[in-house]
Structure formats: C-alpha cells, structure tokens
Amino acid sequence: MINDREGLVIRPVTVSDVTQFNDLLRYVFQVTNQDLIESGYEEGELVHAKQPVLEKSDVIGWYNQEQLISQLAIYPCQVNIHGTIFKMAGLTGVGTYPEYAGQGLMHDLIKVGLERMRENQQWISFLYPYSIPFYRKKGWEIMSDHLTFDIRDTQLPKQVKVTGFVERKEIDDPDVFKTYDAFAHQTHGAMIRDQLAWDEYWRWENEEERTAAIYYDEHQQPQGFIIYWIAEEVFHMKEMIYLNQDARIGLWNFISAHYSMVDHIKGHIYKDEPLAFLLDDGDIKETIEPYYMARIVDVKEFLKSYPFEKEGIDFYFDLTDPMAAWNNGIFSLHVAEDGQLEIGDLPRGERVQCDIQTLTTMLMSYQRPSYLAKIERLQASHRAIKNLERIIPVETPYFSDYF
C-alpha cells in the first residue's frame, strides 16, 4: 500500500490519457477481454469508443507524476423531472487503484466533482451505484428501481385487436429515436438522450444481435417499440416504450405471436408498472432491485426550478449535506404575490428537517414524505407533512439508461 500523498495532484483527464482512463476502468470493474468480445468489441475498439466521453465530459483524476491512479467522469446529460428538463451530471468511471486506497482520494475527487457540477449548472446528479452505502455517505440516494420478469409461453396475453401494426426494423431506425424522445419528454425521470447517451445505452451490449419492433398507429406514426433478441427459445426484451395503451397492446400482440418459437419471455421494466396485473395469468416471476441513485447538487437552484404545486407554500427545509457545504442550512419556500417562488435563508413557516439524501429521494418522488417521516428520515409536523404530500408530484421515476 502507498500511504504518501506527496507528489499526487488532481487535474483534468484529457484525450491523450484515454488508454490510462480505460485501463483503470477495466481494472476496477473487472472487464475482461471475453466480456468485450461478447459485447461485440474488436481489439482496441473500446479505447476508440470511449474517446468521445473524454471529449464531451468533465473527467478529473489524481495523478502520481504522469500515472493516472484515481478518476471520475461527469457526463453532460438532461433528464425530465416532473415535466421540467434539468441539466444532469451523470457520475461514472469512478475508481482508484487498490494500492492507493484508504487515503481519501475519491472523497476529495467527489468534492471537486460536485463543485464542477455546480459551476456547470448541473443541479442534480445520477449514478449507478456499485456500493449503495458508499454513495449514500456522499449524499446520493436511491431514486429508481429495476424490475426483471419471466413469463412462460402459456401465460402470454391473448391477441387483442388494435388499430395499428408492428414492423421489425434496425435499432438505429429514426423512428426509434423519435418515439423515445417523445416518451422521455412526457415521462418523469427519463433521460433526454443525445448521441453520447445512445452510445452508452449500447456500450456493453452487442447491438448487432438486437432488433427493434416498432408499433405504428393507423396514421403510420410510431407510438412505441421494443428492443429484443431471441436465443435458446427465450424472447429477451431489453426495453419496451409506448406512448399509449394501444401501442402497449400492439407490442404484446407481437410478442405473443412468438408463442410457438419460445418457452419464456424475459425482460426488464424500469418503473413500478403492474405487469402481473395487466396479464390474464398474473402468476409470473418478478424480481425488483434498486437501480439508480441521485443527489441534488445545489438545493437553492434546484428548488427554484422544481415544479411544486405552489398554492399555499410557506415552510422551510433545515438541511445537512456531508459533501457540499453550500447545501447546509435553511432554505425557506414562499410564493410571492406575483406567483413566483422565493427561496430564502431564514426560517419561515413550518420546519422540515432532513439530509440531502432524503430530500432528493422525496423530490424525485421515489419515496413519499409521509413514509420518510414514518421511518424517521424526515422530521416535521403532521401539518407540514400533509403540505409536502400535496405540493410534490406523485409520479415515480422511470430511468432505463446505464453509464
């Protein structure tokens, strides 16, 4: 173990260090050559594929002279939060070589990262947690779930007449992008995908083996799609997107048409959709696990844009944040006569006490105020909790991306 920080410096990771960036990434996350081959990469292709990440993202690291020893990357993203589009900092590529562990290098990097996010007006950050306890200590909290299901062929829904039709197309068909974009703009939690986001969506999958089935309405407009593949008599569904119930039914009609070809349908859902309830035979196998975490980077700025139900707002948050000093203290909310939300730093009205993790999961609507109060993650009067229940939108987040 190396226990001396002398000579170590934090600085940006540039494109010239893309090989070191990937070497550290592969070491920390144990990505083997076999993993790369199964994901469709040829030799050296991953390094080339990750170069745009370094060009478009904010990547910082600890260096020992010219050797990169610890790093994190901040992707420039956009997400829909209850109908409002926010700039989001996607935190990824987090890792430190083991001989430098235990020195607080990552703690310092995350602090610098939060400052960079704030400078870039990224008021919220998402990440995929390889350790939920670690990121909770840094201020992130669970904000979405990942549900997997297994349906036997005998449980497939019966065909139901719809007005449209399904066509099989390439996964990069323009109608896939068009449909997802419409879906993301009407779905809380969803990523607004640019090319970098789509590249990351496919990063660890062999997209050459995937197919898109797109549902078109009677006007030949795309209203939904599934990304899928079939292997060893299993229909694998990566994701199903639909803009209305007609599209949902039409896509399930398409899946059911594979009845004679497959024994099981296995797939993923990224929201608390009651799939079992929607099937005639709902006795299916489902598993649910936490998926992504989020943290508010700058509370004051985030609250300014958050789409509260504003009528009757007059209370304050008493907050603590383990990493971002600017989030510690009082944040009062008051609606002025002109209808504008004012954020102050003095107590006003009812007090709501919590930490940044609790505030984040509550405003993302992953957990409701009354439940958070019940488990003592939030301290407030009964009246204040009822007010929070009223002004915070109810819809739970959908997030299906991975970076």
Side-chain angles (χ1 to χ4, degrees):
M1 299 291 290
I2 300 173
N3 296 312
D4 186 1
R5 281 202 183 192
E6 186 177 351
L8 304 186
V9 296
I10 293 177
R11 62 178 174 85
V13 180
T14 64
V15 173
S16 62
D17 288 329
V18 63
T19 300
Q20 288 200 69
F21 175 81
N22 278 289
D23 287 346
L24 179 50
L25 204 64
R26 289 184 60 184
Y27 186 92
V28 171
F29 298 113
Q30 303 174 49
V31 180
T32 66
N33 288 331
Q34 185 62 33
D35 293 330
L36 296 177
I37 292 170
E38 291 175 358
S39 298
Y41 287 104
E42 297 178 1
E43 185 176 354
E45 190 178 7
L46 179 63
V47 173
H48 177 73
K50 277 293 185 181
Q51 185 166 321
V53 172
L54 291 177
E55 292 173 346
K56 297 179 182 180
S57 303
D58 202 356
V59 187
I60 52 177
W62 278 101
Y63 282 82
N64 185 352
Q65 297 182 8
E66 295 303 311
Q67 182 192 7
L68 179 63
I69 61 172
S70 181
Q71 69 184 23
L72 61 77
I74 304 168
Y75 285 5
C77 306
Q78 288 187 308
V79 291
N80 177 346
I81 298 181
H82 294 303
T84 298
I85 306 303
F86 281 79
K87 291 173 67 175
M88 183 270 282
L91 186 63
T92 186
V94 177
T96 303
Y97 280 120
E99 61 267 32
Y100 293 93
Q103 299 186 51
L105 300 183
M106 188 51 63
H107 180 88
D108 290 350
L109 269 187
I110 289 175
K111 275 199 164 187
V112 173
L114 287 168
E115 292 169 358
R116 300 286 279 268
M117 295 174 196
R118 194 183 187 207
E119 291 170 5
N120 292 327
Q121 300 182 355
Q122 297 164 318
W123 310 136
I124 191 163
S125 170
F126 287 9
L127 60 80
Y128 178 80
Y130 286 92
S131 169
I132 290 176
F134 175 83
Y135 286 110
R136 271 188 170 148
K137 290 178 181 177
K138 307 303 181 188
W140 277 261
E141 187 51 272
I142 299 167
M143 54 74 66
S144 73
D145 290 329
H146 177 208
L147 186 146
T148 59
F149 64 85
D150 184 347
I151 302 173
R152 300 188 302 276
D153 58 345
T154 56
Q155 297 174 302
L156 281 166
K158 296 180 176 64
Q159 295 279 333
V160 178
K161 187 175 179 58
V162 291
T163 58
F165 58 94
V166 172
E167 284 191 10
R168 289 182 297 111
K169 294 194 173 183
E170 299 294 327
I171 58 171
D172 59 354
D173 188 275
D175 284 342
V176 170
F177 301 145
K178 177 182 177 181
T179 307
Y180 177 81
D181 193 60
F183 171 83
H185 277 87
Q186 70 180 38
T187 304
H188 167 54
M191 178 103 89
I192 310 298
R193 291 182 191 149
D194 59 8
Q195 189 57 54
L196 176 62
W198 276 107
D199 289 344
E200 289 302 300
Y201 181 78
W202 291 112
R203 178 70 67 203
W204 302 108
E205 294 201 32
N206 192 340
E207 63 263 49
E208 293 181 1
E209 297 180 357
R210 310 299 186 242
T211 301
I214 305 175
Y215 178 84
Y216 293 89
D217 63 18
E218 67 270 30
H219 305 296
Q220 299 188 0
Q221 293 300 308
Q223 299 295 330
F225 66 80
I226 53 174
I227 303 294
Y228 74 97
W229 73 100
I230 300 173
E232 298 179 351
E233 299 183 326
V234 175
F235 187 106
H236 296 273
M237 187 168 72
K238 175 175 171 63
E239 186 171 18
M240 176 186 286
I241 294 292
Y242 52 87
L243 303 181
N244 53 52
Q245 292 304 303
D246 208 47
R248 179 183 67 81
I249 295 168
L251 291 169
W252 275 106
N253 283 347
F254 174 79
I255 296 170
S256 295
H258 292 78
Y259 174 82
S260 62
M261 298 172 54
V262 300
D263 295 328
H264 289 263
I265 296 82
K266 297 182 179 181
H268 306 284
I269 297 175
Y270 298 90
K271 192 177 179 180
D272 57 346
E273 182 180 65
L275 177 60
F277 183 77
L278 295 171
L279 297 172
D280 293 334
D281 182 355
D283 185 18
I284 64 174
K285 181 180 179 181
E286 293 179 290
T287 59
I288 189 169
E289 59 184 326
Y291 189 48
Y292 257 65
M293 299 180 81
R295 76 111 74 213
I296 297 171
V297 173
D298 189 305
V299 170
K300 182 177 181 180
E301 296 299 331
F302 184 80
L303 292 177
K304 284 181 180 179
S305 299
Y306 187 82
F308 289 107
E309 172 57 55
K310 293 181 180 178
E311 184 180 351
I313 287 181
D314 210 1
F315 68 98
Y316 68 97
F317 291 114
D318 186 353
L319 286 177
T320 57
D321 188 320
M323 300 289 286
W326 55 86
N327 288 334
N328 286 303
I330 303 298
F331 298 87
S332 63
L333 287 77
H334 172 72
V335 177
E337 291 183 1
D338 62 1
Q340 295 299 308
L341 181 65
E342 297 177 346
I343 311 296
D345 57 5
L346 295 175
R348 182 169 188 162
E350 297 277 352
R351 177 175 181 255
V352 178
Q353 183 181 22
C354 64
D355 56 27
I356 192 68
Q357 299 93 322
T358 302
L359 181 68
T360 299
T361 197
M362 180 170 65
L363 294 186
M364 287 300 297
S365 297
Y366 180 75
Q367 298 293 350
R368 299 303 297 172
S370 55
Y371 176 73
L372 293 167
K374 182 179 179 180
I375 63 173
E376 300 181 350
R377 288 280 299 269
L378 180 151
Q379 288 75 45
S381 69
H382 180 67
R383 178 181 174 183
I385 293 166
K386 285 185 67 176
N387 187 48
L388 288 172
E389 287 284 357
R390 184 179 57 80
I391 67 174
I392 296 174
V394 174
E395 186 180 17
T396 54
Y398 177 103
F399 192 80
S400 60
D401 287 72
Y402 177 82
F403 47 76

